[in-house]
Amino acid sequence: NYCLYDERYQEEAKAAHALENNLRVSLSTNHADLHRGIDNEEFQLYYHPIINTTENKIDAFEALIRWQHPTHGFILPDQFIPAAEKIQVMDVLGSWVLKKACTDAVQWPYDHDGNPIGVSINLSPTQFIHPEVLLNAAQKAISESGLSPDLVKLELTESSAFSQGMIATIEKLRDMGFRIALDDFGTGYSSLTQVNNLPLDYLKLDRSFVQKIGSDNRFESKGSLRMTQCILSLAATFELTPIVEGIENEYQLRVVRDCGANLIQGYYFSRPMPAAEVADYVRHSSESLVRA
Ligand code: C2E
Ligand code: MG
Ligand code: MG
Ligand code: MG
């Protein structure tokens, strides 16, 4: 099939280009560049809705950072977060994200039932190196915006083992009222011990599992479904609310809903959107979600 080959070829070319750009950006990202970026307001937050599919409404929006770079153009987080972590500027950038996301969220319209919509914020493991900076930024984001912390999910990635010190900091954040989510679960360093040891509220399944559900490869599709079912029942056992991300089509949506998932995120509902589009999306969501 010529078409399929062509598509794959394009995907590969795109991936190669992304990798190249990634390298270029990483090599040239430095302190001055990042600080200038913050000062010049080159960073932006995009928002991706998490849909409560039982109640047909928006549970929250996840804040996803982008960089409108003067020479590199529009860059995605995978291209600069690793560099930012390496040169230890995630304290500064992460504090900015906390403040901006809470300030944005407090201005969003309520959902059609008159309830406020939450916000979900990604934290880098390197933000836990100086816990006092993180705790301070989180406290300030709440007090200055007036947002209730129980509307804020803090997403931890499983990119590293969680030390005792990190766990203590997560406990403090939770005591302040924030909700804690474990992101990208099922890949990397995930272990049952971590799920048992961390003070968690939500478990976010890694996108790679659902991606293959319904794929042409029957074995891959079946395997992914089994993994998804397994992680969802694990979440239930530990009394954690699962969030499934990466849903791109109706079939995947039906399958994960049949497995008992209720909070769902993915291109099927929407692409991440600029902050300025959130209010309109919320206002129109009551019709569009019922239709979906
Ligand atoms: P993540 O937190 O796991 O976010 C999900 C990523 O998957 C986002 O990519 C989102 O746009 C994408 N996505 C969501 N639904 C779908 C789908 O249905 N199909 C596909 N193909 N992709 C989907 P993005 O925005 O490029 O972010 C990548 C990662 O960068 C995030 O993964 C997160 O780990 C990190 N990140 C983003 N913003 C921040 C931030 O403010 N702070 C920190 N520390 N990390 C961030
Ligand atoms: Mg996330
Ligand atoms: Mg992640
Ligand atoms: Mg994720």
Side-chain angles (χ1 to χ4, degrees):
N1 184 320
Y2 175 76
C3 257
L4 191 64
Y5 171 76
D6 192 36
E7 241 173 55
R8 283 217 183 123
Y9 177 77
Q10 274 194 19
E11 281 299 306
E12 270 169 34
K14 254 197 264 167
H17 180 259
L19 199 67
E20 202 181 293
N21 200 36
N22 205 338
L23 256 162
R24 204 155 45 83
V25 175
S26 300
L27 289 174
S28 66
T29 300
N30 56 47
H31 270 100
D33 202 22
L34 272 150
H35 281 283
R36 187 215 60 246
I38 293 172
D39 291 343
N40 292 357
E41 298 179 32
E42 291 165 14
F43 292 96
Q44 302 165 6
L45 293 183
Y46 271 50
Y47 289 100
H48 199 212
I50 300 173
I51 307 298
N52 180 331
T53 55
T54 309
E55 297 177 37
N56 286 320
K57 63 186 205 181
I58 305 163
D59 172 77
F61 285 93
E62 178 176 4
L64 296 165
I65 195 167
R66 276 93 181 86
W67 191 356
Q68 189 63 56
H69 195 282
T71 52
H72 298 303
F74 189 79
I75 36 185
L76 291 169
D78 288 338
Q79 293 181 270
F80 65 86
I81 296 271
E85 287 174 336
K86 209 159 150 208
I87 63 173
Q88 300 181 14
V89 292
M90 279 314 291
D91 277 351
V92 184
L93 206 54
S95 299
W96 176 84
V97 172
L98 277 161
K99 182 180 166 176
K100 180 76 168 82
C102 293
T103 311
D104 283 348
V106 85
Q107 297 173 56
W108 293 336
Y110 285 6
D111 69 15
H112 52 86
D113 293 331
N115 297 312
I117 295 170
V119 66
S120 206
I121 300 172
N122 292 284
L123 297 181
S124 158
T126 61
Q127 288 177 262
F128 287 84
I129 297 171
H130 303 114
E132 67 291 349
V133 175
L134 173 60
L135 292 167
N136 233 318
Q139 181 55 57
K140 259 180 85 178
I142 287 306
S143 58
E144 288 176 4
S145 66
L147 188 70
S148 172
D150 60 9
L151 289 171
V152 183
K153 300 178 184 54
L154 300 175
E155 300 193 6
L156 317 170
T157 49
E158 292 198 284
S159 55
S160 59
F162 290 88
S163 66
Q164 282 308 315
M166 273 180 92
I167 296 175
T169 306
I170 298 164
E171 264 158 8
K172 283 188 190 138
L173 288 165
R174 205 165 179 239
D175 289 343
M176 287 160 70
F178 294 101
R179 302 285 188 253
I180 311 294
L182 189 57
D183 201 0
D184 303 333
F185 185 76
T187 59
Y189 289 76
S190 54
S191 80
L192 286 175
T193 314
Q194 277 189 5
V195 172
N196 194 35
N197 287 348
L198 292 171
L200 298 173
D201 302 286
Y202 297 91
L203 203 60
K204 277 189 99 166
L205 274 71
D206 191 71
R207 178 152 64 81
S208 58
F209 296 114
V210 295
Q211 212 167 39
K212 291 184 183 127
I213 293 176
S215 86
D216 291 341
N217 184 326
R218 212 158 43 88
F219 297 101
E220 265 186 12
S221 177
K222 194 168 182 182
S224 298
L225 177 57
R226 284 176 171 163
M227 295 283 267
T228 302
Q229 284 169 330
C230 200
I231 297 171
L232 288 173
S233 76
L234 175 102
T237 305
F238 283 90
E239 295 176 0
L240 304 174
T241 306
I243 302 176
V244 176
E245 67 179 355
I247 293 296
E248 294 188 353
N249 56 55
E250 192 159 6
Y251 179 74
Q252 291 170 342
L253 176 66
R254 186 153 47 85
V255 167
V256 299
R257 289 206 65 199
D258 287 347
C259 293
N262 164 24
L263 295 180
I264 296 175
Q265 204 177 11
Y267 289 176
Y268 176 68
F269 290 109
S270 165
R271 296 264 168 167
M273 64 193 84
E277 289 174 20
V278 170
D280 266 351
Y281 182 85
V282 173
R283 287 192 200 98
H284 294 126
S285 66
S286 54
E287 316 143 39
S288 56
L289 290 179
V290 171
R291 247 189 290 126

